Amino acid sequence: MTSDISIRREDGVVIVTPVGEMDAVTSPALADALDEVLAAPLPAGVVVDLAKVGFCDSRCIGVLVSAFRQARDLGLGLVVAEPQQQVNRLFVIAGIDQVIPIDTSTDNAVETLRG
């Protein structure tokens, strides 16, 4: 199981886009990427675009919750965008949708954080 992670900036908002499966093996790379973007210089906000993630386990959820808390403590917004149906279902079952904002559109999430 592998994952590639791209990071890009759009109008001061950082978009982190993992591709593949996010599990115990690949989630540490996501954690590293999120730690990197939450270091100085701080962005206006962070969007984690999950459109290309077909599987996410509890380790991935832990990484996202940790990054959300870190961003919140820094005064930044962090939004998860475009989770696939299976991943979104897991978020709802785990109650993550009650903790981390989830948007159906990456562009909309960027616009929300930028404004």
Side-chain angles (χ1 to χ4, degrees):
M1 296 180 203
T2 62
S3 176
D4 294 316
I5 300 171
S6 66
I7 299 172
R8 73 182 197 277
R9 290 185 181 267
E10 188 174 309
D11 296 326
V13 175
V14 174
I15 302 164
V16 179
T17 307
V19 176
E21 297 183 349
M22 300 295 351
D23 57 21
V25 174
T26 56
S27 289
L30 178 60
D32 290 345
L34 290 168
D35 283 345
E36 179 182 320
V37 301
L38 291 172
L42 292 176
V46 178
V47 175
V48 181
D49 178 358
L50 296 181
K52 297 178 181 174
V53 173
F55 175 80
C56 176
D57 71 3
S58 61
R59 178 71 189 259
C60 173
I61 289 174
V63 166
L64 292 172
V65 170
S66 176
F68 174 78
R69 288 180 177 155
Q70 183 180 357
R72 181 194 61 204
D73 291 348
L74 292 168
L76 305 174
L78 183 143
V79 177
V80 170
E82 299 190 40
Q84 291 186 19
Q85 184 177 2
Q86 179 181 358
V87 173
N88 191 59
R89 185 167 184 257
L90 175 65
F91 288 170
V92 170
I93 290 169
I96 299 308
D97 63 323
Q98 302 299 311
V99 178
I100 301 174
I102 299 175
D103 202 311
T104 56
S105 161
T106 298
D107 291 340
N108 188 58
V110 168
E111 189 67 33
T112 299
L113 290 171
R114 187 176 52 184

